[in-house]
Amino acid sequence: MSKKELAIALSKLKVFEKPKMKLEQYPTDSEIAAEILWNAYMKGDIEGKEIADLGAGTGVLGMGALLLGAKKAVFEDIDAEALSVAKENQALIEQQNSLKLDADFRVCDVRAFDEHVDTVIMNPPFGTKNENADTLFLEKAMEAAEVIYTFHKASTKEYVDAFVRNHGFAITDYWEFDWPLRNTMAHHVKRIEKIKVGAWRIVKVF
Ligand code: SAH
Protein backbone atom coordinates (compact mmCIF):
# COMPACT_ATOMS: atom_id res chain seq x y z
CA MET A 1 0.00 0.00 0.00
CA SER A 2 1.36 3.45 -0.93
CA LYS A 3 1.08 6.57 1.23
CA LYS A 4 -1.59 7.91 -1.12
CA GLU A 5 -3.62 4.70 -0.91
CA LEU A 6 -3.32 4.79 2.86
CA ALA A 7 -4.61 8.38 2.98
CA ILE A 8 -7.57 7.42 0.78
CA ALA A 9 -8.39 4.37 2.89
CA LEU A 10 -8.25 6.45 6.09
CA SER A 11 -10.40 9.21 4.59
CA LYS A 12 -13.22 6.67 4.23
CA LEU A 13 -13.36 5.85 7.93
CA LYS A 14 -16.10 7.12 10.19
CA VAL A 15 -15.38 9.92 12.66
CA PHE A 16 -17.13 11.06 15.86
CA GLU A 17 -20.88 11.41 15.33
CA LYS A 18 -21.29 13.89 18.16
CA PRO A 19 -17.85 14.95 19.35
CA LYS A 20 -17.71 15.47 23.10
CA MET A 21 -16.16 18.82 23.78
CA LYS A 22 -15.04 18.04 27.32
CA LEU A 23 -13.06 15.05 26.01
CA GLU A 24 -11.47 17.19 23.26
CA GLN A 25 -12.59 14.86 20.50
CA TYR A 26 -10.91 16.08 17.32
CA PRO A 27 -10.11 13.37 14.78
CA THR A 28 -6.73 13.37 13.04
CA ASP A 29 -7.07 14.44 9.44
CA SER A 30 -6.53 11.44 7.14
CA GLU A 31 -3.72 13.08 5.13
CA ILE A 32 -1.83 13.99 8.29
CA ALA A 33 -2.41 10.55 9.79
CA ALA A 34 -1.07 8.94 6.58
CA GLU A 35 2.00 11.19 6.60
CA ILE A 36 3.00 10.26 10.15
CA LEU A 37 2.14 6.58 9.75
CA TRP A 38 4.16 6.42 6.56
CA ASN A 39 7.19 7.92 8.28
CA ALA A 40 6.78 5.44 11.14
CA TYR A 41 6.52 2.59 8.66
CA MET A 42 9.70 3.69 6.86
CA LYS A 43 11.54 3.80 10.19
CA GLY A 44 10.56 0.21 10.93
CA ASP A 45 8.28 1.13 13.83
CA ILE A 46 5.11 -0.50 12.44
CA GLU A 47 5.54 -3.63 10.36
CA GLY A 48 5.29 -6.74 12.56
CA LYS A 49 5.03 -4.57 15.71
CA GLU A 50 2.52 -4.27 18.51
CA ILE A 51 1.00 -0.82 18.57
CA ALA A 52 -1.03 1.09 21.14
CA ASP A 53 -3.28 3.97 20.10
CA LEU A 54 -3.99 5.87 23.34
CA GLY A 55 -7.03 8.16 23.23
CA ALA A 56 -7.79 6.29 20.02
CA GLY A 57 -11.20 7.86 19.42
CA THR A 58 -12.53 6.44 16.17
CA GLY A 59 -9.21 4.69 15.60
CA VAL A 60 -7.68 6.30 12.53
CA LEU A 61 -4.07 6.00 13.74
CA GLY A 62 -4.22 2.40 14.94
CA MET A 63 -6.22 1.27 11.90
CA GLY A 64 -3.65 2.90 9.65
CA ALA A 65 -0.87 1.07 11.49
CA LEU A 66 -2.69 -2.23 10.97
CA LEU A 67 -3.10 -1.45 7.27
CA LEU A 68 0.68 -0.97 7.10
CA GLY A 69 1.32 -4.40 8.58
CA ALA A 70 1.35 -3.95 12.35
CA LYS A 71 1.01 -7.32 14.06
CA LYS A 72 -1.58 -6.06 16.53
CA ALA A 73 -3.08 -2.79 17.73
CA VAL A 74 -4.67 -1.91 21.06
CA PHE A 75 -7.19 0.93 20.96
CA GLU A 76 -7.69 2.69 24.28
CA ASP A 77 -10.23 5.44 25.00
CA ILE A 78 -12.33 6.60 27.92
CA ASP A 79 -15.34 6.91 25.62
CA ALA A 80 -17.10 3.65 24.75
CA GLU A 81 -19.08 5.32 21.96
CA ALA A 82 -15.90 6.42 20.20
CA LEU A 83 -14.44 2.92 20.42
CA SER A 84 -17.62 1.40 19.02
CA VAL A 85 -17.12 3.61 15.95
CA ALA A 86 -13.51 2.35 15.86
CA LYS A 87 -14.87 -1.21 15.81
CA GLU A 88 -17.11 -0.30 12.88
CA ASN A 89 -14.02 1.08 11.15
CA GLN A 90 -12.22 -2.20 11.74
CA ALA A 91 -15.12 -4.09 10.15
CA LEU A 92 -15.17 -1.69 7.22
CA ILE A 93 -11.45 -2.14 6.51
CA GLU A 94 -11.66 -5.90 6.88
CA GLN A 95 -14.56 -6.06 4.46
CA GLN A 96 -13.04 -3.73 1.86
CA ASN A 97 -9.61 -5.35 1.90
CA SER A 98 -10.67 -8.94 2.58
CA LEU A 99 -8.38 -9.24 5.55
CA LYS A 100 -8.54 -9.82 9.27
CA LEU A 101 -7.03 -7.26 11.64
CA ASP A 102 -5.77 -8.10 15.12
CA ALA A 103 -7.40 -5.27 17.11
CA ASP A 104 -8.13 -5.03 20.84
CA PHE A 105 -10.27 -2.38 22.48
CA ARG A 106 -9.92 -1.01 26.01
CA VAL A 107 -12.52 1.33 27.40
CA CYS A 108 -10.71 3.02 30.29
CA ASP A 109 -9.11 6.21 31.46
CA VAL A 110 -5.61 6.41 30.00
CA ARG A 111 -4.31 6.39 33.59
CA ALA A 112 -5.47 2.77 33.91
CA PHE A 113 -3.72 1.52 30.77
CA ASP A 114 -1.01 -0.96 31.79
CA GLU A 115 0.13 -2.82 28.69
CA HIS A 116 3.54 -2.82 27.08
CA VAL A 117 3.90 -2.53 23.30
CA ASP A 118 6.58 -1.77 20.72
CA THR A 119 5.22 1.56 19.49
CA VAL A 120 2.65 4.07 20.74
CA ILE A 121 1.00 6.25 18.10
CA MET A 122 -1.36 8.78 19.57
CA ASN A 123 -3.20 12.02 19.09
CA PRO A 124 -4.25 12.76 22.66
CA PRO A 125 -6.31 15.71 23.90
CA PHE A 126 -4.26 18.89 23.58
CA GLY A 127 -5.07 19.88 27.15
CA THR A 128 -7.12 22.94 26.25
CA LYS A 129 -10.20 21.73 28.17
CA ASN A 130 -8.47 19.51 30.67
CA GLU A 131 -5.22 21.01 31.74
CA ASN A 132 -2.34 18.50 31.75
CA ALA A 133 -4.26 15.96 29.66
CA ASP A 134 -1.42 16.05 27.14
CA THR A 135 1.29 15.30 29.70
CA LEU A 136 -0.85 12.62 31.33
CA PHE A 137 -0.92 10.80 27.99
CA LEU A 138 2.79 11.36 27.42
CA GLU A 139 3.67 9.89 30.80
CA LYS A 140 1.55 6.85 30.13
CA ALA A 141 2.98 6.40 26.63
CA MET A 142 6.50 6.47 28.09
CA GLU A 143 5.57 3.64 30.44
CA ALA A 144 3.99 1.66 27.62
CA ALA A 145 6.65 1.83 24.89
CA GLU A 146 10.17 2.80 23.94
CA VAL A 147 9.13 4.43 20.67
CA ILE A 148 6.34 7.00 20.59
CA TYR A 149 4.67 9.15 17.93
CA THR A 150 2.58 11.87 19.51
CA PHE A 151 0.69 14.98 18.40
CA HIS A 152 0.53 18.21 20.41
CA LYS A 153 -0.15 21.85 19.76
CA ALA A 154 2.95 23.37 18.15
CA SER A 155 2.66 26.33 20.51
CA THR A 156 3.54 23.97 23.39
CA LYS A 157 6.73 22.72 21.71
CA GLU A 158 9.20 24.05 24.25
CA TYR A 159 7.21 22.58 27.09
CA VAL A 160 6.80 19.19 25.38
CA ASP A 161 10.51 19.07 24.43
CA ALA A 162 11.58 19.71 28.03
CA PHE A 163 9.02 17.26 29.40
CA VAL A 164 10.26 14.52 27.07
CA ARG A 165 13.94 15.08 27.91
CA ASN A 166 13.25 15.21 31.64
CA HIS A 167 11.64 11.78 31.39
CA GLY A 168 14.60 10.00 29.81
CA PHE A 169 13.45 10.19 26.20
CA ALA A 170 15.07 11.83 23.17
CA ILE A 171 13.37 13.59 20.28
CA THR A 172 14.49 12.08 16.98
CA ASP A 173 12.02 13.80 14.62
CA TYR A 174 9.56 16.66 14.60
CA TRP A 175 6.97 17.52 11.95
CA GLU A 176 4.56 20.45 11.84
CA PHE A 177 1.13 20.59 10.22
CA ASP A 178 -1.65 23.07 9.54
CA TRP A 179 -4.34 21.17 11.33
CA PRO A 180 -7.91 21.60 10.12
CA LEU A 181 -10.39 21.90 12.98
CA ARG A 182 -13.64 21.30 11.22
CA ASN A 183 -16.76 22.99 12.42
CA THR A 184 -18.02 20.08 14.45
CA MET A 185 -18.21 22.02 17.66
CA ALA A 186 -20.53 24.90 18.38
CA HIS A 187 -17.86 27.32 19.59
CA HIS A 188 -16.09 27.37 16.25
CA VAL A 189 -17.14 30.34 14.24
CA LYS A 190 -15.31 29.79 10.98
CA ARG A 191 -16.14 26.66 9.03
CA ILE A 192 -12.59 25.35 8.95
CA GLU A 193 -10.15 26.87 11.36
CA LYS A 194 -6.50 25.87 11.18
CA ILE A 195 -4.09 25.54 14.04
CA LYS A 196 -0.44 24.50 14.02
CA VAL A 197 0.06 21.02 15.37
CA GLY A 198 3.37 19.22 15.83
CA ALA A 199 4.14 15.53 15.72
CA TRP A 200 7.07 14.18 17.70
CA ARG A 201 8.92 10.89 17.40
CA ILE A 202 10.54 10.19 20.72
CA VAL A 203 12.61 7.22 21.85
CA LYS A 204 13.75 6.00 25.23
CA VAL A 205 17.37 6.72 26.06
CA PHE A 206 19.20 3.76 27.59
N1 SAH B 1 -6.72 9.65 18.43
C1 SAH B 1 -7.98 9.98 17.77
C2 SAH B 1 -8.84 10.89 18.61
C3 SAH B 1 -8.22 12.19 19.05
S1 SAH B 1 -9.30 13.12 20.11
C4 SAH B 1 -7.68 10.55 16.41
O1 SAH B 1 -6.51 10.79 16.16
O2 SAH B 1 -8.58 10.75 15.61
C5 SAH B 1 -8.74 12.68 21.76
C6 SAH B 1 -9.34 11.40 22.29
O3 SAH B 1 -8.91 11.24 23.64
C7 SAH B 1 -10.86 11.36 22.33
O4 SAH B 1 -11.32 10.22 21.65
C8 SAH B 1 -11.22 11.31 23.82
O5 SAH B 1 -12.38 10.54 24.09
C9 SAH B 1 -9.98 10.67 24.42
N2 SAH B 1 -9.76 11.01 25.83
C10 SAH B 1 -9.89 12.20 26.44
N3 SAH B 1 -9.56 12.10 27.74
C11 SAH B 1 -9.19 10.80 27.97
C12 SAH B 1 -8.71 10.08 29.10
N4 SAH B 1 -8.54 10.67 30.29
N5 SAH B 1 -8.42 8.76 28.95
C13 SAH B 1 -8.57 8.16 27.75
N6 SAH B 1 -9.02 8.78 26.65
C14 SAH B 1 -9.33 10.10 26.74
Side-chain angles (χ1 to χ4, degrees):
M1 178 173 275
S2 70
K3 183 164 81 172
K4 188 77 219 157
E5 287 166 336
L6 177 65
I8 292 169
L10 297 180
S11 73
K12 292 181 182 153
L13 300 182
K14 289 188 163 191
V15 292
F16 303 103
E17 278 157 24
K18 291 195 194 108
K20 299 183 176 87
M21 214 162 95
K22 67 175 183 358
L23 293 176
E24 301 188 51
Q25 293 186 328
Y26 300 100
T28 305
D29 175 77
S30 48
E31 294 279 340
I32 295 174
E35 182 69 31
I36 286 305
L37 288 162
W38 192 258
N39 274 284
Y41 171 75
M42 296 302 276
K43 284 177 187 290
D45 295 330
I46 294 203
E47 206 173 8
K49 306 282 185 184
E50 292 193 1
I51 310 288
D53 183 349
L54 304 181
T58 52
V60 60
L61 295 173
M63 292 302 160
L66 288 168
L67 276 170
L68 291 177
K71 183 164 74 184
K72 177 188 172 156
V74 185
F75 298 81
E76 179 280 336
D77 204 286
I78 199 166
D79 182 19
E81 276 180 61
L83 285 187
S84 74
V85 177
K87 280 182 196 161
E88 287 178 44
N89 283 332
Q90 178 192 2
L92 196 80
I93 293 175
E94 288 182 337
Q95 207 175 35
Q96 286 178 350
N97 301 276
S98 323
L99 48 81
K100 192 96 193 79
L101 303 177
D102 191 347
D104 270 355
F105 299 87
R106 305 267 184 274
V107 181
C108 65
D109 191 295
V110 72
R111 277 170 271 226
F113 187 80
D114 63 357
E115 290 172 51
H116 197 271
V117 294
D118 299 304
T119 309
V120 167
I121 304 182
M122 65 177 185
N123 168 22
F126 293 149
T128 46
K129 291 279 159 203
N130 304 290
E131 228 186 309
N132 303 329
D134 48 350
T135 45
L136 195 73
F137 272 79
L138 262 179
E139 269 175 348
K140 185 50 79 172
M142 291 179 196
E143 282 170 34
E146 270 105 58
V147 179
I148 299 162
Y149 291 80
T150 183
F151 289 96
H152 303 277
K153 271 181 129 165
S155 60
T156 62
K157 183 166 189 305
E158 268 180 45
Y159 177 77
V160 172
D161 287 358
F163 190 88
V164 165
R165 293 192 183 111
N166 291 336
H167 286 74
F169 274 70
I171 299 154
T172 61
D173 300 83
Y174 176 72
W175 301 266
E176 216 164 271
F177 301 100
D178 282 320
W179 186 277
L181 284 182
R182 291 179 210 286
N183 187 17
T184 45
M185 297 194 188
H187 68 283
H188 292 152
V189 183
K190 281 184 275 175
R191 213 173 68 79
I192 295 184
E193 194 185 336
K194 287 199 171 166
I195 58 165
K196 291 248 182 256
V197 170
W200 282 249
R201 177 181 184 270
I202 65 175
V203 299
K204 189 170 186 146
V205 179
F206 288 97

